[in-house]
Amino acid sequence: MADSSIPVRTCVGCRGRAQVTELLRVVVRDGGLTPDPRRRLPGRGASLHPTVECLQAAVRRRAFPRALRCSTPLEAGPLESHVRRSVPDTAGRPPAGARAAKAAPQSDRQPAGPHVESRTSSDEPPVKSSR
């Protein structure tokens, strides 16, 4: 049974739900995004998985101004340096609880499906194609 005493928030980057203990709180201070790891700074906060992937997704989707209800552009420099400094190399690994699209395995094989050999009147060999 899940522990209901720990609040659950949604990451503004990947839109995955996680407990607040797994997420980094971000607030606006002096026109920039400021990390709040102790969750004590005043003001409206947004939650983010502390990964570079989620940070990039949030910046690309312009999620911070919307979540923090701020109409001015926000500087993400201090937040980005905090995330890069605090998280070990997690390349290729999605954050816990995040909705990640599974990538198809890379291979040299053709996609599955029926193959049909085309017949030509020339002297060329038959060509296989997917239908």
Side-chain angles (χ1 to χ4, degrees):
M1 187 168 154
D3 186 13
S4 62
S5 64
I6 300 176
V8 174
R9 300 284 183 264
T10 301
C11 172
V12 295
C14 68
R15 305 292 297 156
R17 293 176 54 87
Q19 296 179 343
V20 294
T21 55
E22 297 175 20
L23 298 171
L24 175 65
R25 182 172 184 257
V26 179
V27 296
V28 175
R29 295 211 118 182
D30 301 324
L33 297 171
T34 304
D36 183 16
R38 293 182 12 194
R39 307 185 72 80
R40 299 283 184 261
L41 293 175
R44 185 172 188 85
S47 297
L48 176 78
H49 282 109
T51 64
V52 176
E53 294 84 12
C54 283
L55 175 60
Q56 290 172 345
V59 170
R60 184 183 67 243
R61 291 176 44 241
R62 296 190 241 14
F64 285 114
R66 193 170 36 249
L68 297 169
R69 296 184 183 170
C70 183
S71 60
T72 61
L74 300 171
E75 175 62 38
L79 176 61
E80 184 174 359
S81 63
H82 175 82
V83 168
R84 289 189 188 278
R85 201 175 47 239
S86 66
V87 177
D89 184 26
T90 58
R93 190 174 26 169
R99 294 185 303 181
K102 295 195 178 205
Q106 298 292 326
S107 69
D108 293 337
R109 296 175 45 192
Q110 293 186 3
H115 293 286
V116 177
E117 291 184 10
S118 65
R119 304 264 185 224
T120 62
S121 60
S122 67
D123 293 337
E124 296 175 358
V127 178
K128 289 188 175 185
S129 63
S130 298
R131 230 185 227 192

